[in-house]
Amino acid sequence: MNPLDLVSGAPWQSVAFTTYALSLSFFESVVLDRLVRGGSRSALILADPEGVRSGLSEEGARRAGRDYDIEPVGCTTGVFHPKISVFASADDAHILVGSGNLTFGGWGGNLEVVEHLHPSFASDAMADAADMFELLAMSERIQTAAGPAFIRLADTLRAANHTGPRTGAVRIIHSVGGSIGSEIARFADELGGARRITVVSPYHDLDGRGVDALSDLLSCHDVRLHVHEDGNVRGIGAVSWPFEGKRKRDAVEVPLPFKADGRLLHAKSIEIMCQRGRLLVAGSANSTHAGLFGANVEASVLRIQRQTLMGWKTSSADVPQRPDAQAADDGEETTGGVGVLRASLEGGAIKATVITPKVRGRVKVCVRTVRRTRELGYADIDSTGRLSIEAHGLEQEAWEIGRLVLRLEQQETVVEGFVAITVATELVRRAGPMATRLFAVLAGNETPADVAAMLAWFREDPNRLPRVAKESTASAGGDENKTPTFVNFESLDGSIEDIRHEASGNGSAAWKNAMALLRSAFSTPRGPWNSERDDDADDDDKKTNAKRTKENDQQNAKSIEHFEALLPKMLDSKSSVADPFLALTLTHFVADRIRPPSVKVRSWISQILPAITSFNGAAADQALASFLVYYGTDVAPNSAARARRALLLRDVDLGTLIPGIFESIPAFMELLAQDLNPAEFIECIIRSKTGGEEVRAYLLAAAAEVPFEGSVLLSKSDQWVKLKKALTDRDLFGKFSVFKTRPSGCPRCRMNLPLARSADLRQLGVTECCGRIILCEEI
C-alpha cells in the first residue's frame, strides 16, 4: 500500500510520527496537506535532536508549532532512530513501521521498506508498540519532555487493540530496555536455531562488528550481505560494507523484494532461516552494532513464519569498492553544533526545556520568525534545564506569520527549538479541520468562505461558541518547578502514574485562552472585505473579479443565514450557551465584514439589547455604545430619556459616558448612525429625565408646596393640568395613586391597564384610569 493513502484515509483523531532525519518542507507540503484533506485533527512529530536541528534551518516550513507539534527526543547512548507512524481514531488504529525517515527520500525517493500493522491481523505487534511507547516515557536514557505524549500513544493503541487475535506471528521488536539482536536470537531459538543470515542494510560497521555479534549470538556463520546495484544512501561516518572486517561474508544480491529500480537503498531488513521456519525483520535497525545491540533506539517488525523453509533467492555479487570519502545523506547519524530545546507559548509567556546539551544559568533569549528576530531579554535556566520568560504580543504575530523559533545564547553555546503555540494545538485537537478557518480569523485574514464555514460550525453545535471562561489564578510561570525536565526512573520512583496523569490532561487552560483570543478577534474591527472595482483591468481580470465577487456574495448570504439561525440560541436565557455579550460582539463582526442592510442589523441589535442586564467585562464598552446608537437613531419620541432609563436600570454611571466608546463599533456607526452626533446625544441623555425621575422630583415639589419647573415628560402628558394644580391643592393631590414600582392594573377597578395607558406610565411616569391619576416612581 501507499502510506499516503493511509494518511488521508480517515479523519484521524491522533497522528504521530517518530523519525531520525526530518524534512519539514516535505511534511507540510505532502503529509500535512493529506492529513488536513482527510479531516484529521492533530499531528505530532517525535524526532531526534538532529532531525529537529535540520528542520530549524528550513525557512520555507512555517506551520510548525501551530498546525502540528514537534517534540525532540534525545538518547544519551546513541540516536533516536525508529521510523513509526501512528494513525488512530476513537476505536481504531493503524501503524506503519519502516526504514524511511520523515523526508522526501524516506517516503519515496529512496528504496525503503515499510510494514503496515492493524489489530485485525497484528494484535501482538500493536501491544508491543504500546509497550515501547510507555517504556520511552520511563527510560532513563531518553531525554525529552514528551513523556505525556508517549503515554497518550500507548493508551490510544491499547484502547484500539481489543478485538484482534493474538497469533504471535507478527511482533514489534525494539531496543528500549533491550536490543534488536537479543530479540532476534530469542525467537530464532524457538524455531530450532539459525542456519543462514541474509542482511539488507545501507550501513555497516567498518569492521563488521554488528554483523559479527549477531552471527555469534545466533551461532550461525553463514552470513550474506546484500549489495545493491544502484548504490546505497550514504551517511557521514557510515559505510556500505565492512571493509576492514576479517570474517568471511558472502556478497549477494537479493533481487526480490530489493530489486534495483534506480533508487538508492535505504531499506533495512534481515532474513534468518531457521531449522523449523523463517524470521523476517524489517524496520529502522541497520546492521551496525549501535542498531542491533541497543545504543540507538530502534524499532523493527518481526514476522515469524513457522515451517517455512524457503527463503530469499540470492545471486552472487561483487564486494563494493571502498570510497575515498563518505558523502552526507538526509541526516543519518550526523551531529550538529547547535543545541536543541522544546518550547511552548502559553498566554503571554514562553516556557522552554533544554534537551541537549546541558545548559544552566543565565542566557540571552530571542525569538526568530520569518520576518525578524525579537529579543525577549535574559532568563535563568534552572537546575532541571527549564526557563520561563514573558513574551507579550507574540501570539498574534504567530497567527499571522506562522512558526516561531526560540534561541538561547550563552557565550559560544547556542540552543534552538520550535515554539509550540498551545492555543493552536488545542484548537486543532478540538476543532479538527475547522481549526484552519479559526486560525484565519485569529490572524485577521479570513475570507467570506471562512466566516460562512465557521458560523455553520457554530450553528451545528452552539456549545462550540467561544463563551466567557473563568479567569485562571495561575501565573505564567507558577508551575515551573512542578515537573522534571527529563522523564526518567529517578523522577518517577519506579512509577508511571505521574506521567499518565499529565498525559490525561484536557488542555482546559489552553482552550480557555483560545476562546478568549477568538472573542478578541471578533471584537477587533477590520472593515469590509475588499471589493473595489478596477476599471482599468482587462476583460479576463474583470471576469475573474466578477466571479470572485459572486462567490463572495453567496458566502455572505450563507453567513447571514447561519447567523440568524444561531442568534436566538445565544439569547435564550434557558440555554447553556446563552451569551448576549458574545451575540453582540458576533453581530458587529458580521456587520463589519459583510455590511448587510441596516434594517437587518438594527433588527439583530433590538433582539440582543433586552438580554443585556449589566455592563461588565471586556465587551462592556461595545455593549454600552450599541445601546446609545440604538436609541440615538430611534425615530420614536423621547429617545434620550428612554436611553437614560435603559442605562440607569443597568446601574450605569452616566457621568462616565464619553464619545470615545463609539470607536468600538465602527460598523454600527457606519450602517446605522452616520447622522448621529455622539457627544450631543450623550449630553441630551445627561440633561433628560426618565418618567420615574420626574415623578420623584414632582413629589418632592408637591410635598414642599413649591413650583415644579423644567418638566420634560410630565408636561407632555394629558394629566399635566391636574398635576400643576395639585402642587397647591392638597385635596386633589391626595386623590393621586402613587406607586414605587409599576402596577399592572388600576387600583380602583382592578382591571389591567390598556396598552396605551400602560405605555404612558412606563415612558412618562403618569397615566389615568377611572378618573384617578396614577404616578409611578420606578425608573
Side-chain angles (χ1 to χ4, degrees):
M1 66 171 292
N2 186 337
L4 289 175
D5 292 336
L6 185 59
V7 170
S8 56
W12 308 113
Q13 293 182 4
S14 178
V15 179
F17 304 89
T18 69
T19 187
Y20 173 76
L22 176 61
S23 169
L24 293 183
S25 57
F26 161 75
F27 178 76
E28 291 187 7
S29 63
V30 179
V31 180
L32 186 61
D33 178 67
R34 292 286 191 103
L35 286 172
V36 172
R37 283 191 279 134
S40 296
R41 294 205 169 189
S42 60
L44 171 66
I45 298 174
L46 298 148
D48 185 85
E50 185 60 40
V52 177
R53 190 178 291 115
S54 63
L56 290 167
S57 64
E58 295 184 81
E59 296 295 341
R62 300 189 177 186
R63 300 165 70 179
R66 190 184 69 177
D67 296 285
Y68 61 95
D69 280 341
I70 301 175
E71 287 282 4
V73 183
C75 177
T76 58
T77 58
V79 297
F80 182 71
H81 204 249
K83 292 90 162 95
I84 302 176
S85 304
V86 177
F87 304 91
S89 57
D91 55 0
D92 194 17
H94 295 253
I95 295 180
L96 299 179
V97 180
S99 61
N101 289 297
L102 200 56
T103 62
F104 287 100
W107 281 55
N110 303 327
L111 179 59
E112 306 279 4
V113 61
V114 63
E115 291 269 13
H116 171 225
L117 305 177
H118 186 264
S120 61
F121 61 86
S123 185
D124 297 284
M126 302 292 286
D128 293 334
D131 291 343
M132 174 185 171
F133 287 131
E134 188 168 273
L135 287 171
L136 282 168
M138 299 175 64
S139 175
E140 59 183 345
R141 66 191 180 108
I142 300 300
Q143 294 180 317
T144 186
F150 282 128
I151 293 300
R152 283 193 294 269
L153 284 173
D155 291 345
T156 297
L157 292 179
R158 290 189 179 117
N161 191 33
H162 53 81
T163 58
R166 294 294 184 96
T167 65
V170 183
R171 304 296 300 267
I172 287 180
I173 55 179
H174 56 81
S175 56
V176 186
S179 72
I180 299 290
S182 61
E183 288 293 289
I184 292 174
R186 180 168 67 89
F187 285 100
D189 287 343
E190 293 179 5
L191 297 182
R195 57 187 177 86
R196 187 179 74 209
I197 303 171
T198 306
V199 178
V200 177
S201 175
Y203 304 126
H204 300 268
D205 297 306
L206 188 60
D207 59 3
R209 59 195 177 99
V211 172
D212 292 347
L214 182 63
S215 171
D216 293 341
L217 188 62
L218 296 177
S219 300
C220 176
H221 300 289
D222 184 357
V223 179
R224 306 176 183 187
L225 306 184
H226 172 67
V227 178
H228 198 60
E229 180 180 341
D230 291 324
N232 298 345
V233 172
R234 308 291 288 278
I236 294 176
V239 294
S240 59
W241 187 266
F243 294 105
E244 297 181 1
K246 296 181 179 179
R247 292 193 186 181
K248 179 181 182 299
R249 305 168 190 89
D250 292 333
V252 299
E253 182 181 1
V254 184
L256 290 176
F258 303 103
K259 183 179 180 180
D261 61 1
R263 291 179 294 170
L264 298 177
L265 177 73
H266 195 253
K268 303 106 164 59
S269 185
I270 304 175
E271 178 193 64
I272 301 96
M273 296 304 302
C274 300
Q275 299 298 330
R276 297 192 299 273
R278 180 172 79 143
L279 300 178
L280 280 177
V281 181
S284 69
N286 290 293
S287 67
T288 61
H289 197 275
L292 292 176
F293 291 96
N296 295 343
V297 175
E298 307 280 2
S300 295
V301 172
L302 173 68
R303 291 186 178 271
I304 305 167
Q305 299 176 346
R306 304 179 189 278
Q307 306 304 323
T308 299
L309 302 179
M310 297 294 293
W312 289 334
K313 292 183 179 180
T314 62
S315 58
S316 297
D318 295 327
V319 173
Q321 292 186 351
R322 182 174 182 175
D324 294 332
Q326 302 298 329
D329 72 325
D330 57 0
E332 194 77 38
E333 300 190 23
T334 63
T335 58
V338 177
V340 174
L341 58 81
R342 60 96 60 193
S344 61
L345 176 59
E346 303 176 20
I350 287 180
K351 297 179 180 180
T353 300
V354 177
I355 303 300
T356 181
K358 183 177 180 179
V359 180
R360 302 293 183 267
R362 197 159 185 78
V363 292
K364 180 181 178 182
V365 185
C366 304
V367 171
R368 178 161 51 87
T369 70
V370 294
R371 294 178 180 173
R372 63 189 178 101
T373 296
R374 171 181 168 184
E375 292 188 6
L376 299 182
Y378 288 85
D380 292 318
I381 301 177
D382 65 18
S383 59
T384 65
R386 307 176 71 206
L387 67 81
S388 178
I389 190 169
E390 292 184 353
H392 297 297
L394 194 58
E395 248 170 347
Q396 184 60 38
E397 191 169 357
W399 297 126
E400 296 174 0
I401 64 177
R403 75 175 195 170
L404 305 173
V405 174
L406 185 69
R407 181 182 177 93
L408 308 181
E409 299 177 0
Q410 187 184 74
Q411 297 179 351
E412 302 300 320
T413 302
V414 175
V415 184
E416 291 188 338
F418 293 104
V419 179
I421 307 170
T422 55
V423 166
T425 302
E426 197 64 15
L427 279 174
V428 170
R429 187 176 74 85
R430 298 202 188 198
M434 186 55 59
T436 302
R437 309 279 195 184
L438 300 181
F439 289 166
V441 173
L442 289 168
N445 54 24
E446 71 274 7
T447 66
D450 291 328
V451 173
M454 177 186 67
L455 291 174
W457 191 62
F458 289 152
R459 177 184 179 182
E460 179 184 348
D461 183 1
N463 285 300
R464 295 165 174 163
L465 285 161
R467 290 169 289 161
V468 174
K470 294 181 180 179
E471 293 185 5
S472 173
T473 58
S475 63
D479 62 346
E480 63 183 30
N481 293 317
K482 289 185 179 180
T483 56
T485 305
F486 302 134
V487 178
N488 52 47
F489 286 122
E490 288 77 12
S491 66
L492 294 174
D493 294 326
S495 171
I496 199 168
E497 291 308 312
D498 290 342
I499 301 179
R500 178 165 275 109
H501 176 74
E502 186 178 351
S504 64
N506 60 8
S508 59
W511 183 247
K512 289 177 182 178
N513 191 21
M515 293 300 94
L517 288 172
L518 195 56
R519 288 177 72 100
S520 177
F522 292 153
S523 302
T524 304
R526 292 167 179 170
W529 285 292
N530 185 12
S531 58
E532 296 181 359
R533 293 176 53 187
D534 185 0
D535 295 330
D536 296 329
D538 58 31
D539 291 341
D540 289 340
D541 288 341
K542 287 181 179 179
K543 289 180 180 179
T544 301
N545 292 336
K547 181 180 179 181
R548 184 183 302 112
T549 299
K550 181 179 179 180
E551 291 173 349
N552 288 346
D553 289 344
Q554 292 173 344
Q555 295 295 338
N556 289 340
K558 290 181 181 178
S559 292
I560 293 174
E561 176 190 345
H562 296 318
F563 177 74
E564 290 188 321
L566 177 65
L567 184 58
K569 300 176 183 178
M570 302 173 68
L571 300 177
D572 182 0
S573 60
K574 298 179 181 179
S575 171
S576 62
V577 299
D579 191 337
F581 277 105
L582 177 59
L584 185 62
T585 296
L586 201 54
T587 297
H588 187 268
F589 176 80
V590 171
D592 187 40
R593 277 312 212 176
I594 298 176
R595 300 301 165 105
S598 59
V599 64
K600 188 177 288 290
V601 175
R602 186 172 183 83
S603 172
W604 296 340
I605 297 175
S606 70
Q607 298 175 58
I608 297 170
L609 295 188
I612 297 177
T613 58
S614 64
F615 295 97
N616 297 310
D621 281 355
Q622 191 177 55
L624 191 56
S626 299
F627 261 85
L628 297 177
V629 164
Y630 181 79
Y631 285 102
T633 58
D634 194 351
V635 296
N638 305 321
S639 61
R642 289 188 297 111
R644 180 185 179 94
R645 176 178 177 273
L647 297 176
L648 290 177
L649 285 173
R650 291 161 176 83
D651 298 322
V652 175
D653 182 355
L654 302 182
T656 63
L657 296 180
I658 57 173
I661 63 174
F662 289 86
E663 296 175 1
S664 64
I665 54 168
F668 290 167
M669 293 296 292
E670 184 171 337
L671 290 171
L672 304 176
Q674 291 185 355
D675 298 328
L676 176 68
N677 186 315
E680 289 183 1
F681 186 59
I682 290 174
E683 185 63 29
C684 288
I685 291 174
I686 293 173
R687 290 200 311 265
S688 67
K689 300 292 182 181
T690 68
E693 286 180 309
E694 283 210 3
V695 168
R696 292 176 189 174
Y698 172 81
L699 294 175
L700 289 174
E705 298 184 358
V706 297
F708 177 57
E709 305 291 344
S711 172
V712 176
L713 298 175
L714 293 179
S715 61
K716 295 180 180 180
S717 69
D718 295 337
Q719 294 78 31
W720 178 237
V721 174
K722 292 182 179 180
L723 290 174
K724 287 183 65 176
K725 184 178 179 181
L727 289 171
T728 56
D729 186 341
R730 305 309 298 172
D731 291 337
L732 178 60
F733 183 81
K735 296 178 181 179
F736 292 171
S737 296
V738 181
F739 292 88
K740 292 290 185 181
T741 59
R742 195 173 300 111
S744 60
C746 172
R748 296 189 69 182
C749 67
R750 306 296 180 182
M751 301 287 288
N752 288 336
L753 293 173
L755 292 178
R757 292 180 180 177
S758 180
D760 286 343
L761 190 61
R762 183 179 65 254
Q763 296 175 8
L764 304 178
V766 63
T767 191
E768 189 172 1
C769 188
C770 299
R772 177 165 292 194
I773 290 178
I774 303 172
L775 294 167
C776 180
E777 298 181 55
E778 185 178 353
I779 291 176

